[in-house]
Amino acid sequence: MSVGAPAAGRAALARRARVRVEGTVQGVGFRPYVYRLAGRQGLAGFVLNDPRGVLIEVEGSTSAVEEFLARLGPEAPPLAAIERVLTEEREPHGDSGFAILDSPRGGAPDAPVTPDSATCPDCLRELLDPGDRRYRYPFINCTNCGPRFTIVRGIPYDRPFTTMASFTMCARCRAEYEDPADRRFHAQPNACAQCGPSVSLLRADGERVPVGPAGDVVRAAAEALCDGRIVAVKGIGGFHLACRADDEAAVAALRARKHREDRPFAVMVATAQAAGGLVRLGELERALLCGPERPIVLAPRLPYAAVAPSVAPGAQELGVMLPYSPLHHLLLADLGVDTTLVMTSANVSDEPIAFRDEDAKARLRDIADLLLVHDRPIQTRTDDSVVRVVDAPTGPRRLVVRRSRGYVPAGLPLPDPAERPILACGAELKNTFCLARGTRAWVSHHIGDLENYETLCAYTEGIEHFKRLFEVEPEVVVHDLHPEYLSSKYAADCDTEWLVGVQHHHAHLAACLAEHGEQGSGVGAIFDGTGYGLDGTVWGGELLLGDLAGFRRVGRLLPVRLPGGARAIREPWRMACAWLAAAEEAEAEHEAEHEDCEHETKIPLALRGRVEERAWRQVAQLARTGLQSPVTTSVGRLFDAVGALCGLRARVNYEGQAAVELEAACDPAERGHYPISLSHDGELFTIDPRETIRALSTDVEAGVALGAVASRFHAALSAATVEALVCVASSEGCDLVVLSGGVFQNRRLLEAVMAGLHAAGLRAITPERLPVGDGGISYGQAAVAARLMASPPGRGEPTA
Ligand SMILES: [Zn+2]
Ligand SMILES: [Zn+2]
């Protein structure tokens, strides 16, 4: 394809510049933008996409070229993210006319596919304009918005390689698509009611509800929602289950039908103003909420927020998002701007979100009363992204809980160029994988917990899909050290000579360093639930000193037994028992007269009647003997133990539930803290909370308010963490601290530690573009492998 523009007169003082633009500049309307900008300046030349981004040559009067260069960045299309502009002078050719040229063949693409983007203001205006030909058309989109990643089947990113392939554009849509001056020039999903996908409303048994044209289908769904029904809504990356958030009967029914589901539901509201009536929003939160990525923003819930109790029981925060597809906009417009909708992933307990029509019909039959579906297939299941904002002493900071729809597959830079293409397989829970080539890394969408067949399929298919999209044929495969992780087994089965194992917490440390472009060392406090340690025990409360190439363990949480192994994750009372046993043992050692006396750990008051006496005794025995009970330094499990000791949870339905509820229970006015000790044995620092456990148990037995107990525990742990980090940093002469790992999703802990480090004059970095939890591991693995290739270690194990 080659599109000509009016000829530019050749000025006396001609200048020709070659301009290379790097970043997210493909598939975002950049070439037609350049075409229009050059036309306005009367410039000749060309623009094209190539593997490095966009290449432009412009020729004309010196002042016109200057003007063009000055405007190029500031006026770029909304979805473009320019990382670098390189300009070179060229000999003027005497060209006339400006053209959009075809891409040269060969070379691997850098940014062939961009993330899905929320409906833009122009499309939204047309959607709600009765005079527009796409009035109430639920699939309206343009170059500045619409689905991308979720509809792509292959490359080049062109209509035949998307799930829009079966829809043939009508003459009017085709004319828009081919006109460089049009907002829909090369908008691959471009469609209208005459030629594009359509919606329909189904009953739970799959029978179509008879309604008229598209608009009426949405209206009928809105009416059903208004009446308190549960409607499954097919979105961009999968199905949601929706119901009115102010209708307790509807929300409770949804919770009951989803089975054992305790996780808070996210809600969708029409505007940022409506969101401000539910949660407290700062400037950054508002910007995230309104951005084209449209994540779920977790923010402190306002006391008068009009949502039913079952929406987010026991949570201080509420997850809020704005409509991001035209279908959402229509639903909320029909329901009224003040309506709050529950919009939760359509799945049953731990299964992945439903995204294929037939599958959704089968799985959601017993949950939804109606299904609002459409015939534009979703190629890749992509969950909603989840973010929150934390207050750092230097200002508000983004914290990513889940990075998926809206952010994926945008590339991230790697500090060291990967000499050979890399596949990093990630961890087990909240898995993502990462492909890397040169200085670019592409982290996958949130895959989920690699524990069932369906998730494993999503994982293996996802890897193949990314390999095709980014034309990466991995030669180096990186994996976690845990031999039983399905991701490690996948790596072992790969046909490669270059297999690199990276320790779990080192990957967390490396991911954060690499994301911030840090080349040197940092001291990391990496706190999470589980990670395979170099000594074969379960790590999860680690103080590491290291860089991308390697690390040294300089401290950790006091190791205790994990009674019954993985069962202890679902049954926090087991960890309560293990920590009580450890605390009592310490006390007995302390008091010499008790030396030979057999201690028996008794069920604490808060757990009495919730745990069987016999089971408790058995677990106390396991905790002492270590039978079937590996040793762990996990801070996540310490939180579980404290949550159980406070009587919050004897058993949980998802990992970290007790910790989430413990944080929510904190009394912000409480200023006290429990004792905690920090010791050093010449090699390692040990954060020892046994005194903390004893003191808080005494408080709970004495009936001290839960809010005070929870706050004092958080204060003790953050104080010990700060003290340990300050000691390591000063003895190692390092002023950079990394805070990462899933436990740091805890806002209270993270903010207290950051404040303490700041007061001590240390610089603390946290992951901001990638998840703080295990979703960030794959990128860290890739960064380590790239560094090892760039400067192989002289001797010893690469990452040990
Ligand atoms: Zn648009
Ligand atoms: Zn059309």
Side-chain angles (χ1 to χ4, degrees):
M1 175 222 38
S2 177
V3 186
R10 210 182 157 199
L13 271 175
R15 176 183 173 192
R16 188 179 181 93
R18 186 185 180 104
V19 188
R20 164 157 297 293
V21 188
E22 293 175 0
T24 306
V25 288
Q26 296 184 6
V28 294
F30 205 86
R31 289 172 306 159
Y33 154 70
V34 169
Y35 173 89
R36 288 191 296 269
L37 186 61
R40 279 211 303 278
Q41 301 302 325
L43 294 169
F46 66 83
V47 58
L48 57 82
N49 281 344
D50 74 1
R52 287 176 58 193
V54 164
L55 183 69
I56 307 164
E57 288 196 14
V58 281
E59 181 172 336
S61 73
T62 310
S63 61
V65 171
E66 246 161 50
E67 184 76 17
F68 174 88
L69 293 174
R71 289 181 173 202
L72 184 66
E75 294 177 16
L79 297 183
I82 297 177
E83 286 171 10
R84 209 153 64 131
V85 178
L86 300 168
T87 308
E88 267 174 57
E89 294 305 314
R90 291 280 157 145
E91 265 313 298
H93 290 183
D95 277 0
S96 62
F98 194 90
I100 296 177
L101 299 183
D102 288 338
S103 305
R105 298 304 302 171
D110 179 54
V113 183
T114 52
D116 303 284
S117 179
T119 311
C120 74
D122 289 332
C123 285
L124 189 55
R125 198 164 37 246
E126 291 169 359
L127 178 71
L128 303 174
D129 172 7
D132 192 90
R133 76 183 189 93
R134 290 190 180 86
Y135 175 57
R136 288 187 65 85
Y137 181 57
F139 305 93
I140 187 169
N141 68 85
C142 72
T143 317
N144 301 327
C145 73
R148 296 285 189 279
F149 174 65
T150 51
I151 61 164
V152 167
R153 288 192 163 134
I155 52 160
Y157 175 60
D158 216 346
R159 179 111 162 183
F161 298 102
T162 70
T163 62
M164 287 293 292
S166 62
F167 300 96
T168 307
M169 269 183 267
C170 67
R172 292 178 78 179
C173 287
R174 165 70 52 192
E176 294 164 340
Y177 181 88
E178 289 174 350
D179 177 4
D182 196 281
R183 207 173 86 239
R184 297 192 165 89
F185 176 67
H186 278 210
Q188 303 305 344
N190 188 29
C192 72
Q194 271 62 58
C195 65
S198 57
V199 287
S200 42
L201 191 62
L202 307 179
R203 286 201 304 255
D205 61 10
E207 281 299 307
R208 194 179 286 253
V209 178
V211 270
D216 296 343
V217 168
V218 178
R219 209 164 268 133
E223 276 162 19
L225 284 166
C226 209
D227 292 344
R229 316 281 286 280
I230 296 168
V231 180
V233 181
K234 185 174 176 182
I236 298 291
F239 280 74
H240 283 113
L241 287 160
C243 71
R244 272 172 59 166
D246 61 349
D247 183 340
E248 174 60 20
V251 183
L254 174 56
R255 225 168 244 295
R257 293 185 207 171
K258 280 191 87 177
H259 301 301
R260 289 197 311 115
E261 177 66 77
D262 288 335
R263 270 173 254 239
F265 290 153
V267 298
M268 184 178 274
V269 288
T271 60
Q273 197 186 354
L278 300 175
V279 290
R280 201 174 64 230
L281 294 175
E283 213 173 297
L284 180 54
E285 275 136 336
R286 206 172 280 273
L288 289 165
L289 193 67
C290 298
E293 301 88 359
R294 285 288 198 277
I296 294 171
V297 177
L298 294 172
R301 175 181 184 161
L302 295 172
Y304 47 84
V307 293
S310 292
V311 171
Q316 261 186 343
E317 292 186 321
L318 196 60
V320 181
M321 64 179 146
L322 297 186
Y324 53 83
S325 80
L327 187 56
H328 297 152
H329 282 288
L330 289 176
L331 265 182
L332 281 156
D334 289 350
L335 281 159
V337 285
D338 295 330
T339 308
T340 304
L341 276 185
V342 163
M343 275 295 224
T344 185
S345 300
N347 58 350
V348 183
S349 53
D350 284 339
E351 290 171 10
I353 181 173
F355 74 110
R356 289 194 177 99
D357 294 344
E358 288 316 309
D359 177 49
K361 281 178 211 162
R363 280 162 60 189
L364 304 179
R365 198 164 35 208
D366 300 329
I367 304 180
D369 299 309
L370 292 165
L371 288 88
L372 182 58
V373 300
H374 59 73
D375 54 359
R376 184 178 69 200
I378 298 169
Q379 177 64 26
T380 304
R381 160 169 66 82
T382 315
D383 299 77
D384 291 320
S385 296
V386 183
V387 300
R388 66 154 66 94
V389 172
V390 290
D391 283 320
T394 48
R397 251 186 225 183
R398 180 165 89 177
L399 187 87
V400 179
V401 176
R402 184 165 69 204
R403 180 181 178 272
S404 217
R405 181 194 45 76
Y407 295 100
V408 173
L412 289 110
L414 271 185
D416 302 284
E419 283 170 15
R420 292 159 182 274
I422 297 172
L423 164 64
C425 296
E428 173 99 332
L429 300 178
K430 301 177 177 67
N431 174 279
T432 64
F433 59 84
C434 173
L435 285 178
R437 170 165 41 71
T439 54
R440 281 270 144 202
W442 296 278
V443 178
S444 77
H445 49 301
H446 166 82
I447 300 288
D449 299 347
L450 289 181
E451 294 180 318
N452 55 49
Y453 178 73
E454 202 177 343
T455 314
L456 187 63
C457 288
Y459 178 71
T460 55
E461 286 163 14
I463 290 173
E464 291 309 312
H465 190 49
F466 267 62
K467 278 159 68 172
R468 277 194 308 273
L469 286 188
F470 297 102
E471 295 185 30
V472 175
E473 201 39 69
E475 292 173 27
V476 178
V477 178
V478 200
H479 60 87
D480 193 275
L481 297 182
H482 200 306
E484 294 305 316
Y485 279 1
L486 291 177
S487 56
S488 304
K489 292 181 172 173
Y490 178 91
D493 289 341
C494 287
D495 182 22
T496 176
E497 295 169 44
W498 300 76
L499 210 54
V500 180
V502 176
Q503 200 278 327
H504 192 93
H505 302 95
H506 181 215
H508 271 302
L509 174 74
C512 187
L513 287 171
E515 186 199 306
H516 289 274
E518 294 288 345
Q519 298 280 354
S521 303
V523 189
I526 314 295
F527 292 174
D528 65 0
T530 302
Y532 195 83
L534 292 182
D535 55 7
T537 70
V538 181
W539 288 11
E542 309 310 309
L543 302 176
L544 310 178
L545 176 71
D547 57 14
L548 299 182
F551 75 98
R552 187 156 60 81
R553 192 188 200 198
V554 291
R556 39 98 156 115
L557 182 72
L558 180 82
V560 293
R561 294 286 170 184
L562 189 64
R567 280 189 74 181
I569 297 172
R570 294 256 164 193
E571 301 177 12
W573 68 266
R574 289 170 174 264
M575 284 316 296
C577 185
W579 271 108
L580 270 185
E584 286 168 5
E585 235 169 80
E587 198 174 33
E589 278 167 25
H590 197 65
E591 298 164 18
E593 67 267 31
H594 288 292
E595 219 167 70
D596 300 319
C597 130
E598 262 294 302
H599 255 270
E600 198 192 332
T601 308
K602 295 204 176 61
I603 301 192
L605 200 59
L607 288 172
R608 241 165 262 166
R610 297 161 76 177
V611 180
E612 263 185 66
E613 286 279 352
R614 221 173 59 111
W616 180 272
R617 275 201 304 278
Q618 282 172 347
V619 165
Q621 189 73 13
L622 288 181
R624 284 183 202 284
T625 60
L627 229 57
Q628 299 161 31
S629 305
V631 163
T632 185
T633 53
S634 167
V635 175
R637 297 292 86 78
L638 173 65
F639 268 92
D640 287 351
V642 174
L645 288 171
C646 289
L648 277 170
R649 291 273 159 191
R651 291 168 187 79
V652 293
N653 293 330
Y654 61 92
E655 197 200 11
Q657 187 176 11
V660 168
E661 293 177 1
L662 190 67
E663 183 193 355
C666 284
D667 174 359
E670 173 61 40
R671 289 287 168 268
H673 71 81
Y674 291 125
I676 188 161
S677 83
L678 181 69
S679 62
H680 192 257
D681 64 2
E683 188 194 349
L684 290 178
F685 280 96
T686 299
I687 297 173
D688 178 353
R690 287 178 297 182
E691 267 183 277
T692 323
I693 296 292
R694 281 200 300 276
L696 74 84
S697 300
T698 308
D699 271 3
V700 173
E701 302 269 327
V704 174
L706 171 62
V709 175
S711 286
R712 290 173 195 170
F713 166 72
H714 278 76
L717 183 63
S718 47
T721 305
V722 170
E723 196 186 335
L725 288 167
V726 169
C727 288
V728 175
S730 81
S731 66
E732 303 288 343
C734 174
D735 73 342
L736 178 65
V737 175
V738 172
L739 303 174
S740 192
V743 166
F744 282 111
Q745 283 178 32
N746 184 314
R747 179 199 292 276
R748 196 175 179 87
L749 179 72
L750 178 58
E751 290 179 350
V753 173
M754 285 194 295
L757 294 171
H758 185 72
L762 295 174
R763 188 161 63 95
I765 56 172
T766 49
E768 292 177 57
R769 297 176 69 183
L770 287 167
V772 70
D774 283 3
I777 291 263
S778 61
Y779 174 69
Q781 293 174 336
V784 170
R787 169 63 59 88
L788 292 177
M789 277 187 274
S791 48
R795 57 181 184 272
E797 280 296 295
T799 66

